[in-house]
Amino acid sequence: MTLATIDPIHRARRTNGFDVERVREDFPILARKVHGKPLVYLDSAASAQKPRAVIDAMSRFYEEDYANIHRGVHFLSQRATDAFEAARAKVARFLNAAKADEIIFTRNATESINLVAQSWGRKNLGPGDEIVLTELEHHANIVPWQMLRAEKGFEIKVAPIDDTGQIRLDAMAKLIGPRTRLVAVSHMSNALGTILPVREIVRMAHANDALVLIDGCQAAVHKQIDVQALDADFYAFSAHKLYGPTGIGVLYGKYALLDAMPPYQGGGDMIDRVTFARTTFKEPPHRFEAGTPAITEAIGLAAAIDYLAELGPSLVADHEDDVLAYATEKLTAIDGLTIHGTAAEKGAILSFTIAGAHAHDVATILDQQGVAVRAGHHCAHPLMDRLGVTATARASFALYSTRAEADALADAIGTVKRIFKL
Ligand code: C6P
């Protein structure tokens, strides 16, 4: 086929260097069938599928270089330690951190946020202090603070969103004041797709001497993150949403802050010297990594970062924007369907409800047709309360998603409507 004979959209995709059909071949699972139908995987915001490059890097590491790290002088232990620390340096470059020592490996974003609460928060928050969250936070950025509040007696303020699902900066500005010690916000809502103006929020917080923790669990997948340009104090994400393995997450923290923070878990690998009278601790990041870490998973995360870099993050972002815009148009045309989250700044997430059909029933019928979406509260009860719904169905798109899959979603919603006679 010549360029002249293929349709303009396909041609655009080929000429801009992103060929989604070729990219899909990198993900073995996408070739499988579900209930006898081709898999249409629209649940990447919950966890993304893995490219062969990640799967192979982890297998190769187990087959050739595996041993525990930071402990042995033997050959394999040194190889494994080098690979683990190289992964840390790669994550630092991925976030544009000033140095690798600002990267702490955790189990996931949830643990990263708990680390900040239990280490920085436990040391720095008390009666009379305030922290500011937003109405669209994931439970991972609410519950750790409530647990600490119960012990420490500080106050939690909540910045509201507008009807499009965007944060109301004017209202947030009024909540941030001299008592504010921390502003903890999602960079991109997992339930609405809203991308928050985090640079502006950091400016507002820093003007009041408050720190900012950014929950980048969704944003790190779709946007190029530069923690120095954002001037973020802490930034958290999980590898499994970024085409990497489960079991490993990242906490970025400015080194001076990390250096002043106490450890929050004790054990092997985080100590300098132990006696029964007294223990001294290592420097960051090791002070915060007690016990054997997720070694092979760090190798997998590094492979995922390389994979994304090879595809070209801006081509990926353009492709995802295209699929989101196309799917939004398709779903907007469906009678009785409401899209939740219509902010101008929005990532590849489409949350919706259908009048007369519960979101769980919608997801079950879609699944029968091979279309995987998430239904429920998306770990965002307060946001569901604000929207006045108990649950939504959520389609989320990734670099391997296609317009044809958006068509399949719309067709499957048609079946839902026929079954419910809507
Ligand atoms: N959201 C979703 O389907 P963990 O579970 O620690 O990897 O990530 C927690 C988390 C924190 N913040 C945001 C914005 C998130 O989206 C998530 C995970 C998944 O939306 C699972 S609930």
Side-chain angles (χ1 to χ4, degrees):
M1 216 187 303
T2 65
L3 272 183
T5 60
I6 60 178
D7 72 88
I9 291 154
H10 194 175
R11 184 168 66 217
R13 227 159 274 144
R14 277 204 184 168
T15 47
N16 81 4
F18 192 85
D19 183 344
V20 69
E21 293 306 332
R22 215 220 49 67
V23 166
R24 286 174 69 82
E25 290 168 10
D26 295 338
F27 292 79
I29 205 168
L30 297 180
R32 71 159 292 161
K33 292 197 165 173
V34 169
H35 305 306
K37 308 265 170 49
L39 169 66
V40 175
Y41 187 76
L42 301 181
D43 197 21
S44 296
S47 204
Q49 298 298 349
K50 318 304 172 198
R52 202 179 294 282
V54 169
I55 301 166
D56 287 352
M58 294 175 74
S59 303
R60 204 164 43 243
F61 182 71
Y62 273 132
E63 286 174 10
E64 295 175 10
D65 287 326
Y66 182 77
N68 209 334
I69 58 162
H70 296 150
R71 288 166 172 82
V73 291
H74 63 78
F75 178 82
L76 282 184
S77 178
Q78 288 192 2
R79 293 269 302 177
T81 302
D82 288 350
F84 184 79
E85 291 305 330
R88 193 192 304 280
K90 186 151 290 176
V91 172
R93 286 195 294 279
F94 176 69
L95 294 177
N96 195 32
K99 52 181 176 173
D101 288 346
E102 295 182 319
I103 303 300
I104 301 167
F105 284 128
T106 59
R107 275 191 310 134
N108 46 39
T110 302
E111 191 172 78
S112 300
I113 298 168
N114 275 276
L115 192 165
V116 178
Q118 290 303 322
S119 174
W120 178 87
R122 184 173 287 283
K123 183 175 171 195
N124 291 290
L125 296 174
D129 291 332
E130 294 172 1
I131 71 166
V132 177
L133 309 178
T134 81
E135 225 169 12
L136 52 65
E137 294 312 308
H138 187 281
H139 296 164
N141 197 26
I142 301 174
V143 185
W145 303 112
Q146 290 176 324
M147 288 165 64
L148 191 65
R149 177 182 62 181
E151 281 180 53
K152 295 294 202 170
F154 57 89
E155 253 196 82
I156 297 178
K157 304 264 184 186
V158 182
I161 55 170
D162 64 21
D163 290 340
T164 71
Q166 184 54 277
I167 190 72
R168 283 186 44 206
L169 277 180
D170 56 333
M172 187 176 223
K174 290 194 184 117
L175 295 178
I176 300 175
R179 289 170 181 267
T180 312
R181 306 299 309 276
L182 177 78
V183 178
V185 293
S186 180
H187 195 168
M188 173 174 159
S189 160
N190 68 314
L192 301 177
T194 313
I195 293 170
L196 278 75
V198 283
R199 181 68 194 102
E200 198 47 43
I201 292 171
V202 169
R203 268 199 208 101
M204 280 165 28
H206 285 178
N208 286 277
D209 293 328
L211 299 184
V212 179
L213 178 153
I214 301 176
D215 171 1
C217 218
Q218 299 293 341
V221 185
H222 304 289
K223 289 182 76 69
Q224 281 177 269
I225 308 302
D226 182 334
V227 287
Q228 294 190 76
L230 290 175
D231 202 13
D233 298 296
F234 300 105
Y235 198 98
F237 74 92
S238 289
H240 69 93
K241 296 191 201 283
L242 191 77
Y243 312 102
T246 52
I248 188 162
V250 167
L251 176 67
Y252 158 83
K254 283 182 184 160
Y255 192 82
L257 290 171
L258 297 181
D259 201 31
M261 282 161 51
Y264 82 121
Q265 288 181 342
D269 218 25
M270 48 76 77
I271 55 84
D272 180 28
R273 178 82 180 98
V274 179
T275 66
F276 277 107
R278 175 166 181 273
T279 290
T280 51
F281 305 112
K282 279 189 181 150
E283 310 282 294
H286 307 292
R287 183 189 300 166
F288 303 104
E289 293 178 355
T292 300
I295 306 166
T296 312
E297 289 72 14
I299 309 308
L301 170 56
I305 289 173
D306 281 344
Y307 177 77
L308 263 174
E310 270 168 37
L311 286 183
S314 62
L315 293 183
V316 167
D318 287 350
H319 170 72
E320 289 175 348
D321 286 349
D322 174 72
V323 176
L324 176 67
Y326 182 78
T328 304
E329 204 180 302
K330 289 290 281 192
L331 266 56
T332 304
I334 298 175
D335 236 21
L337 185 148
T338 304
I339 293 176
H340 300 276
T342 52
E345 279 288 299
K346 184 174 166 172
I349 280 174
L350 254 187
S351 250
F352 59 94
T353 48
I354 299 173
H358 191 279
H360 281 125
D361 295 329
V362 172
T364 305
I365 296 168
L366 295 188
D367 178 58
Q368 290 305 315
Q369 293 159 87
V371 180
V373 298
R374 182 173 173 187
H377 52 67
H378 312 295
C379 300
H381 278 152
L383 176 62
M384 296 296 119
D385 292 345
R386 165 65 174 82
L387 298 175
V389 297
T390 52
T392 73
R394 181 191 70 183
S396 50
F397 306 102
L399 58 85
Y400 42 68
S401 303
T402 65
R403 285 184 170 213
E405 289 185 311
D407 288 334
L409 170 66
D411 289 349
I413 292 172
T415 306
V416 173
K417 292 188 64 175
R418 275 193 296 283
I419 290 173
F420 279 90
K421 300 194 173 36
L422 297 171

mmCIF file of all heavy atoms in Angstrom, residues 333-378:
data_model
loop_
_atom_site.group_PDB
_atom_site.id
_atom_site.type_symbol
_atom_site.label_atom_id
_atom_site.label_comp_id
_atom_site.label_asym_id
_atom_site.label_seq_id
_atom_site.Cartn_x
_atom_site.Cartn_y
_atom_site.Cartn_z
ATOM 1 N N ALA A 333 -22.161 11.116 21.920
ATOM 2 C CA ALA A 333 -23.297 10.965 20.996
ATOM 3 C C ALA A 333 -24.310 9.932 21.501
ATOM 4 O O ALA A 333 -25.374 9.762 20.894
ATOM 5 C CB ALA A 333 -22.763 10.546 19.623
ATOM 6 N N ILE A 334 -24.003 9.245 22.591
ATOM 7 C CA ILE A 334 -24.911 8.192 23.075
ATOM 8 C C ILE A 334 -25.940 8.798 24.032
ATOM 9 O O ILE A 334 -25.585 9.398 25.053
ATOM 10 C CB ILE A 334 -24.113 7.052 23.772
ATOM 11 C CG1 ILE A 334 -23.164 6.393 22.755
ATOM 12 C CG2 ILE A 334 -25.066 6.026 24.381
ATOM 13 C CD1 ILE A 334 -22.243 5.338 23.355
ATOM 14 N N ASP A 335 -27.202 8.628 23.689
ATOM 15 C CA ASP A 335 -28.309 9.140 24.491
ATOM 16 C C ASP A 335 -28.326 8.521 25.883
ATOM 17 O O ASP A 335 -28.167 7.306 26.007
ATOM 18 C CB ASP A 335 -29.613 8.716 23.784
ATOM 19 C CG ASP A 335 -30.472 9.911 23.492
ATOM 20 O OD1 ASP A 335 -29.912 11.015 23.457
ATOM 21 O OD2 ASP A 335 -31.694 9.711 23.337
ATOM 22 N N GLY A 336 -28.514 9.341 26.915
ATOM 23 C CA GLY A 336 -28.639 8.799 28.273
ATOM 24 C C GLY A 336 -27.297 8.543 28.943
ATOM 25 O O GLY A 336 -27.258 8.129 30.101
ATOM 26 N N LEU A 337 -26.210 8.795 28.229
ATOM 27 C CA LEU A 337 -24.876 8.581 28.826
ATOM 28 C C LEU A 337 -24.311 9.912 29.304
ATOM 29 O O LEU A 337 -24.366 10.915 28.581
ATOM 30 C CB LEU A 337 -23.947 7.937 27.784
ATOM 31 C CG LEU A 337 -22.547 7.535 28.272
ATOM 32 C CD1 LEU A 337 -22.059 6.286 27.508
ATOM 33 C CD2 LEU A 337 -21.539 8.650 28.098
ATOM 34 N N THR A 338 -23.816 9.930 30.528
ATOM 35 C CA THR A 338 -23.182 11.138 31.074
ATOM 36 C C THR A 338 -21.695 10.873 31.266
ATOM 37 O O THR A 338 -21.318 9.877 31.887
ATOM 38 C CB THR A 338 -23.786 11.495 32.455
ATOM 39 O OG1 THR A 338 -25.191 11.633 32.294
ATOM 40 C CG2 THR A 338 -23.193 12.785 33.010
ATOM 41 N N ILE A 339 -20.878 11.771 30.735
ATOM 42 C CA ILE A 339 -19.438 11.685 30.982
ATOM 43 C C ILE A 339 -19.127 12.524 32.217
ATOM 44 O O ILE A 339 -19.528 13.685 32.310
ATOM 45 C CB ILE A 339 -18.640 12.186 29.765
ATOM 46 C CG1 ILE A 339 -18.839 11.216 28.585
ATOM 47 C CG2 ILE A 339 -17.155 12.323 30.099
ATOM 48 C CD1 ILE A 339 -18.185 11.636 27.294
ATOM 49 N N HIS A 340 -18.419 11.929 33.172
ATOM 50 C CA HIS A 340 -18.023 12.657 34.394
ATOM 51 C C HIS A 340 -16.560 13.057 34.237
ATOM 52 O O HIS A 340 -15.697 12.191 34.086
ATOM 53 C CB HIS A 340 -18.213 11.779 35.626
ATOM 54 C CG HIS A 340 -19.631 11.346 35.814
ATOM 55 N ND1 HIS A 340 -20.579 12.135 36.443
ATOM 56 C CD2 HIS A 340 -20.289 10.231 35.412
ATOM 57 C CE1 HIS A 340 -21.736 11.513 36.435
ATOM 58 N NE2 HIS A 340 -21.595 10.357 35.812
ATOM 59 N N GLY A 341 -16.322 14.368 34.278
ATOM 60 C CA GLY A 341 -14.959 14.858 34.086
ATOM 61 C C GLY A 341 -14.825 15.423 32.685
ATOM 62 O O GLY A 341 -14.572 14.698 31.721
ATOM 63 N N THR A 342 -15.016 16.743 32.597
ATOM 64 C CA THR A 342 -14.967 17.393 31.282
ATOM 65 C C THR A 342 -14.010 18.587 31.324
ATOM 66 O O THR A 342 -14.175 19.547 30.563
ATOM 67 C CB THR A 342 -16.383 17.872 30.874
ATOM 68 O OG1 THR A 342 -16.910 18.662 31.949
ATOM 69 C CG2 THR A 342 -17.319 16.700 30.606
ATOM 70 N N ALA A 343 -13.041 18.536 32.211
ATOM 71 C CA ALA A 343 -12.103 19.652 32.327
ATOM 72 C C ALA A 343 -11.320 19.813 31.030
ATOM 73 O O ALA A 343 -11.092 18.837 30.302
ATOM 74 C CB ALA A 343 -11.138 19.390 33.483
ATOM 75 N N ALA A 344 -10.917 21.039 30.738
ATOM 76 C CA ALA A 344 -10.159 21.295 29.510
ATOM 77 C C ALA A 344 -8.839 20.527 29.536
ATOM 78 O O ALA A 344 -8.408 19.977 28.528
ATOM 79 C CB ALA A 344 -9.906 22.793 29.381
ATOM 80 N N GLU A 345 -8.201 20.498 30.692
ATOM 81 C CA GLU A 345 -6.941 19.755 30.845
ATOM 82 C C GLU A 345 -7.276 18.369 31.355
ATOM 83 O O GLU A 345 -7.651 18.187 32.513
ATOM 84 C CB GLU A 345 -6.050 20.470 31.868
ATOM 85 C CG GLU A 345 -5.285 21.627 31.315
ATOM 86 C CD GLU A 345 -4.150 21.153 30.406
ATOM 87 O OE1 GLU A 345 -3.260 20.432 30.875
ATOM 88 O OE2 GLU A 345 -4.191 21.501 29.210
ATOM 89 N N LYS A 346 -7.133 17.390 30.493
ATOM 90 C CA LYS A 346 -7.613 16.058 30.868
ATOM 91 C C LYS A 346 -6.770 14.988 30.208
ATOM 92 O O LYS A 346 -6.363 15.128 29.054
ATOM 93 C CB LYS A 346 -9.088 15.987 30.418
ATOM 94 C CG LYS A 346 -9.761 14.715 30.801
ATOM 95 C CD LYS A 346 -11.232 14.707 30.483
ATOM 96 C CE LYS A 346 -11.629 13.239 30.619
ATOM 97 N NZ LYS A 346 -13.016 12.978 30.534
ATOM 98 N N GLY A 347 -6.501 13.904 30.935
ATOM 99 C CA GLY A 347 -5.747 12.772 30.389
ATOM 100 C C GLY A 347 -6.681 11.645 29.971
ATOM 101 O O GLY A 347 -7.903 11.768 30.033
ATOM 102 N N ALA A 348 -6.074 10.517 29.602
ATOM 103 C CA ALA A 348 -6.762 9.462 28.847
ATOM 104 C C ALA A 348 -7.711 8.603 29.687
ATOM 105 O O ALA A 348 -7.606 7.380 29.732
ATOM 106 C CB ALA A 348 -5.711 8.594 28.173
ATOM 107 N N ILE A 349 -8.666 9.263 30.335
ATOM 108 C CA ILE A 349 -9.639 8.556 31.181
ATOM 109 C C ILE A 349 -11.039 9.048 30.857
ATOM 110 O O ILE A 349 -11.267 10.258 30.717
ATOM 111 C CB ILE A 349 -9.296 8.786 32.677
ATOM 112 C CG1 ILE A 349 -8.154 7.840 33.086
ATOM 113 C CG2 ILE A 349 -10.518 8.588 33.569
ATOM 114 C CD1 ILE A 349 -7.613 8.046 34.481
ATOM 115 N N LEU A 350 -11.977 8.108 30.693
ATOM 116 C CA LEU A 350 -13.367 8.468 30.407
ATOM 117 C C LEU A 350 -14.268 7.759 31.409
ATOM 118 O O LEU A 350 -14.474 6.548 31.327
ATOM 119 C CB LEU A 350 -13.744 7.976 29.010
ATOM 120 C CG LEU A 350 -13.868 8.982 27.880
ATOM 121 C CD1 LEU A 350 -14.399 8.315 26.635
ATOM 122 C CD2 LEU A 350 -14.759 10.150 28.270
ATOM 123 N N SER A 351 -14.808 8.519 32.351
ATOM 124 C CA SER A 351 -15.721 7.966 33.348
ATOM 125 C C SER A 351 -17.134 8.278 32.895
ATOM 126 O O SER A 351 -17.406 9.409 32.477
ATOM 127 C CB SER A 351 -15.489 8.662 34.691
ATOM 128 O OG SER A 351 -14.901 7.816 35.624
ATOM 129 N N PHE A 352 -18.015 7.307 33.005
ATOM 130 C CA PHE A 352 -19.382 7.587 32.545
ATOM 131 C C PHE A 352 -20.418 6.788 33.329
ATOM 132 O O PHE A 352 -20.099 5.763 33.945
ATOM 133 C CB PHE A 352 -19.531 7.300 31.047
ATOM 134 C CG PHE A 352 -19.217 5.876 30.654
ATOM 135 C CD1 PHE A 352 -20.231 4.928 30.555
ATOM 136 C CD2 PHE A 352 -17.920 5.484 30.380
ATOM 137 C CE1 PHE A 352 -19.951 3.610 30.195
ATOM 138 C CE2 PHE A 352 -17.629 4.164 30.024
ATOM 139 C CZ PHE A 352 -18.640 3.226 29.927
ATOM 140 N N THR A 353 -21.635 7.311 33.309
ATOM 141 C CA THR A 353 -22.781 6.552 33.830
ATOM 142 C C THR A 353 -23.851 6.539 32.747
ATOM 143 O O THR A 353 -23.882 7.421 31.880
ATOM 144 C CB THR A 353 -23.353 7.190 35.119
ATOM 145 O OG1 THR A 353 -23.516 8.606 34.900
ATOM 146 C CG2 THR A 353 -22.436 6.993 36.309
ATOM 147 N N ILE A 354 -24.700 5.522 32.818
ATOM 148 C CA ILE A 354 -25.812 5.414 31.867
ATOM 149 C C ILE A 354 -27.096 5.394 32.689
ATOM 150 O O ILE A 354 -27.245 4.540 33.585
ATOM 151 C CB ILE A 354 -25.689 4.125 31.027
ATOM 152 C CG1 ILE A 354 -24.375 4.145 30.229
ATOM 153 C CG2 ILE A 354 -26.884 3.962 30.093
ATOM 154 C CD1 ILE A 354 -24.070 2.855 29.500
ATOM 155 N N ALA A 355 -27.976 6.353 32.405
ATOM 156 C CA ALA A 355 -29.225 6.434 33.171
ATOM 157 C C ALA A 355 -29.983 5.117 33.031
ATOM 158 O O ALA A 355 -30.203 4.634 31.918
ATOM 159 C CB ALA A 355 -30.071 7.593 32.642
ATOM 160 N N GLY A 356 -30.337 4.520 34.178
ATOM 161 C CA GLY A 356 -31.136 3.285 34.145
ATOM 162 C C GLY A 356 -30.312 2.010 34.213
ATOM 163 O O GLY A 356 -30.879 0.917 34.240
ATOM 164 N N ALA A 357 -28.986 2.121 34.226
ATOM 165 C CA ALA A 357 -28.141 0.909 34.322
ATOM 166 C C ALA A 357 -27.040 1.155 35.341
ATOM 167 O O ALA A 357 -26.349 2.181 35.264
ATOM 168 C CB ALA A 357 -27.534 0.571 32.960
ATOM 169 N N HIS A 358 -26.886 0.238 36.296
ATOM 170 C CA HIS A 358 -25.825 0.419 37.287
ATOM 171 C C HIS A 358 -24.465 0.182 36.636
ATOM 172 O O HIS A 358 -24.324 -0.681 35.760
ATOM 173 C CB HIS A 358 -26.012 -0.537 38.472
ATOM 174 C CG HIS A 358 -25.110 -0.198 39.626
ATOM 175 N ND1 HIS A 358 -23.790 -0.590 39.657
ATOM 176 C CD2 HIS A 358 -25.321 0.543 40.739
ATOM 177 C CE1 HIS A 358 -23.225 -0.118 40.767
ATOM 178 N NE2 HIS A 358 -24.136 0.574 41.443
ATOM 179 N N ALA A 359 -23.472 0.941 37.102
ATOM 180 C CA ALA A 359 -22.130 0.851 36.495
ATOM 181 C C ALA A 359 -21.574 -0.580 36.525
ATOM 182 O O ALA A 359 -20.898 -1.005 35.580
ATOM 183 C CB ALA A 359 -21.181 1.800 37.232
ATOM 184 N N HIS A 360 -21.876 -1.331 37.586
ATOM 185 C CA HIS A 360 -21.365 -2.709 37.655
ATOM 186 C C HIS A 360 -22.014 -3.589 36.600
ATOM 187 O O HIS A 360 -21.357 -4.453 36.000
ATOM 188 C CB HIS A 360 -21.589 -3.297 39.052
ATOM 189 C CG HIS A 360 -20.565 -2.820 40.041
ATOM 190 N ND1 HIS A 360 -20.886 -2.209 41.214
ATOM 191 C CD2 HIS A 360 -19.214 -2.852 40.003
ATOM 192 C CE1 HIS A 360 -19.784 -1.876 41.864
ATOM 193 N NE2 HIS A 360 -18.752 -2.252 41.147
ATOM 194 N N ASP A 361 -23.318 -3.358 36.354
ATOM 195 C CA ASP A 361 -23.997 -4.132 35.300
ATOM 196 C C ASP A 361 -23.423 -3.753 33.939
ATOM 197 O O ASP A 361 -23.220 -4.607 33.074
ATOM 198 C CB ASP A 361 -25.508 -3.868 35.335
ATOM 199 C CG ASP A 361 -26.130 -4.389 36.632
ATOM 200 O OD1 ASP A 361 -25.609 -5.392 37.162
ATOM 201 O OD2 ASP A 361 -27.104 -3.786 37.114
ATOM 202 N N VAL A 362 -23.175 -2.466 33.766
ATOM 203 C CA VAL A 362 -22.580 -2.000 32.504
ATOM 204 C C VAL A 362 -21.252 -2.719 32.268
ATOM 205 O O VAL A 362 -21.010 -3.306 31.205
ATOM 206 C CB VAL A 362 -22.358 -0.464 32.526
ATOM 207 C CG1 VAL A 362 -21.572 -0.001 31.309
ATOM 208 C CG2 VAL A 362 -23.692 0.271 32.631
ATOM 209 N N ALA A 363 -20.404 -2.727 33.300
ATOM 210 C CA ALA A 363 -19.068 -3.338 33.150
ATOM 211 C C ALA A 363 -19.180 -4.839 32.884
ATOM 212 O O ALA A 363 -18.391 -5.410 32.124
ATOM 213 C CB ALA A 363 -18.227 -3.069 34.393
ATOM 214 N N THR A 364 -20.164 -5.480 33.505
ATOM 215 C CA THR A 364 -20.332 -6.927 33.315
ATOM 216 C C THR A 364 -20.751 -7.236 31.879
ATOM 217 O O THR A 364 -20.216 -8.168 31.249
ATOM 218 C CB THR A 364 -21.397 -7.471 34.306
ATOM 219 O OG1 THR A 364 -20.992 -7.094 35.620
ATOM 220 C CG2 THR A 364 -21.514 -8.978 34.226
ATOM 221 N N ILE A 365 -21.651 -6.432 31.345
ATOM 222 C CA ILE A 365 -22.099 -6.672 29.959
ATOM 223 C C ILE A 365 -20.969 -6.338 28.973
ATOM 224 O O ILE A 365 -20.745 -7.056 27.999
ATOM 225 C CB ILE A 365 -23.383 -5.857 29.665
ATOM 226 C CG1 ILE A 365 -24.515 -6.356 30.566
ATOM 227 C CG2 ILE A 365 -23.768 -5.961 28.191
ATOM 228 C CD1 ILE A 365 -25.741 -5.462 30.588
ATOM 229 N N LEU A 366 -20.232 -5.288 29.265
ATOM 230 C CA LEU A 366 -19.084 -4.955 28.394
ATOM 231 C C LEU A 366 -18.081 -6.102 28.410
ATOM 232 O O LEU A 366 -17.535 -6.497 27.367
ATOM 233 C CB LEU A 366 -18.396 -3.666 28.853
ATOM 234 C CG LEU A 366 -19.186 -2.355 28.777
ATOM 235 C CD1 LEU A 366 -18.273 -1.166 29.087
ATOM 236 C CD2 LEU A 366 -19.830 -2.151 27.438
ATOM 237 N N ASP A 367 -17.857 -6.652 29.594
ATOM 238 C CA ASP A 367 -16.880 -7.748 29.718
ATOM 239 C C ASP A 367 -17.276 -8.940 28.848
ATOM 240 O O ASP A 367 -16.421 -9.578 28.227
ATOM 241 C CB ASP A 367 -16.769 -8.169 31.191
ATOM 242 C CG ASP A 367 -15.806 -9.329 31.373
ATOM 243 O OD1 ASP A 367 -14.628 -9.176 30.992
ATOM 244 O OD2 ASP A 367 -16.235 -10.393 31.860
ATOM 245 N N GLN A 368 -18.573 -9.237 28.803
ATOM 246 C CA GLN A 368 -19.045 -10.358 27.974
ATOM 247 C C GLN A 368 -18.658 -10.153 26.515
ATOM 248 O O GLN A 368 -18.562 -11.099 25.747
ATOM 249 C CB GLN A 368 -20.583 -10.493 28.067
ATOM 250 C CG GLN A 368 -21.082 -10.984 29.428
ATOM 251 C CD GLN A 368 -20.433 -12.306 29.824
ATOM 252 O OE1 GLN A 368 -20.320 -13.227 29.019
ATOM 253 N NE2 GLN A 368 -19.965 -12.396 31.068
ATOM 254 N N GLN A 369 -18.454 -8.899 26.147
ATOM 255 C CA GLN A 369 -18.064 -8.609 24.758
ATOM 256 C C GLN A 369 -16.558 -8.380 24.610
ATOM 257 O O GLN A 369 -16.097 -7.876 23.584
ATOM 258 C CB GLN A 369 -18.851 -7.395 24.274
ATOM 259 C CG GLN A 369 -20.340 -7.742 24.180
ATOM 260 C CD GLN A 369 -21.195 -6.523 24.218
ATOM 261 O OE1 GLN A 369 -21.435 -5.929 23.172
ATOM 262 N NE2 GLN A 369 -21.612 -6.119 25.395
ATOM 263 N N GLY A 370 -15.844 -8.720 25.667
ATOM 264 C CA GLY A 370 -14.378 -8.627 25.601
ATOM 265 C C GLY A 370 -13.830 -7.273 25.998
ATOM 266 O O GLY A 370 -12.622 -7.044 25.940
ATOM 267 N N VAL A 371 -14.733 -6.358 26.404
ATOM 268 C CA VAL A 371 -14.293 -4.988 26.715
ATOM 269 C C VAL A 371 -14.087 -4.852 28.228
ATOM 270 O O VAL A 371 -15.044 -4.922 29.000
ATOM 271 C CB VAL A 371 -15.332 -3.947 26.226
ATOM 272 C CG1 VAL A 371 -14.860 -2.531 26.555
ATOM 273 C CG2 VAL A 371 -15.568 -4.094 24.729
ATOM 274 N N ALA A 372 -12.843 -4.660 28.647
ATOM 275 C CA ALA A 372 -12.514 -4.575 30.077
ATOM 276 C C ALA A 372 -12.500 -3.122 30.517
ATOM 277 O O ALA A 372 -11.659 -2.332 30.061
ATOM 278 C CB ALA A 372 -11.146 -5.202 30.333
ATOM 279 N N VAL A 373 -13.464 -2.752 31.371
ATOM 280 C CA VAL A 373 -13.438 -1.417 31.993
ATOM 281 C C VAL A 373 -13.568 -1.610 33.502
ATOM 282 O O VAL A 373 -13.963 -2.689 33.959
ATOM 283 C CB VAL A 373 -14.588 -0.489 31.513
ATOM 284 C CG1 VAL A 373 -14.503 -0.235 30.020
ATOM 285 C CG2 VAL A 373 -15.956 -1.043 31.910
ATOM 286 N N ARG A 374 -13.243 -0.576 34.254
ATOM 287 C CA ARG A 374 -13.432 -0.668 35.695
ATOM 288 C C ARG A 374 -14.755 -0.005 36.065
ATOM 289 O O ARG A 374 -15.111 1.025 35.488
ATOM 290 C CB ARG A 374 -12.280 0.036 36.425
ATOM 291 C CG ARG A 374 -12.422 -0.076 37.931
ATOM 292 C CD ARG A 374 -11.226 0.455 38.687
ATOM 293 N NE ARG A 374 -11.568 0.430 40.118
ATOM 294 C CZ ARG A 374 -10.816 0.942 41.083
ATOM 295 N NH1 ARG A 374 -9.676 1.517 40.782
ATOM 296 N NH2 ARG A 374 -11.188 0.891 42.332
ATOM 297 N N ALA A 375 -15.464 -0.585 37.036
ATOM 298 C CA ALA A 375 -16.682 0.052 37.548
ATOM 299 C C ALA A 375 -16.587 0.120 39.052
ATOM 300 O O ALA A 375 -16.056 -0.785 39.691
ATOM 301 C CB ALA A 375 -17.907 -0.753 37.137
ATOM 302 N N GLY A 376 -17.107 1.194 39.621
ATOM 303 C CA GLY A 376 -17.108 1.312 41.080
ATOM 304 C C GLY A 376 -16.811 2.733 41.497
ATOM 305 O O GLY A 376 -17.043 3.677 40.738
ATOM 306 N N HIS A 377 -16.265 2.860 42.708
ATOM 307 C CA HIS A 377 -16.004 4.207 43.238
ATOM 308 C C HIS A 377 -14.580 4.657 42.948
ATOM 309 O O HIS A 377 -14.208 5.780 43.245
ATOM 310 C CB HIS A 377 -16.293 4.256 44.739
ATOM 311 C CG HIS A 377 -15.604 3.181 45.524
ATOM 312 N ND1 HIS A 377 -14.239 3.141 45.676
ATOM 313 C CD2 HIS A 377 -16.094 2.097 46.173
ATOM 314 C CE1 HIS A 377 -13.915 2.086 46.421
ATOM 315 N NE2 HIS A 377 -15.024 1.422 46.713
ATOM 316 N N HIS A 378 -13.777 3.779 42.364
ATOM 317 C CA HIS A 378 -12.403 4.105 41.959
ATOM 318 C C HIS A 378 -11.556 4.607 43.126
ATOM 319 O O HIS A 378 -10.681 5.465 42.955
ATOM 320 C CB HIS A 378 -12.402 5.130 40.801
ATOM 321 C CG HIS A 378 -13.351 4.753 39.705
ATOM 322 N ND1 HIS A 378 -13.188 3.627 38.940
ATOM 323 C CD2 HIS A 378 -14.505 5.330 39.277
ATOM 324 C CE1 HIS A 378 -14.190 3.526 38.084
ATOM 325 N NE2 HIS A 378 -15.011 4.538 38.275
#
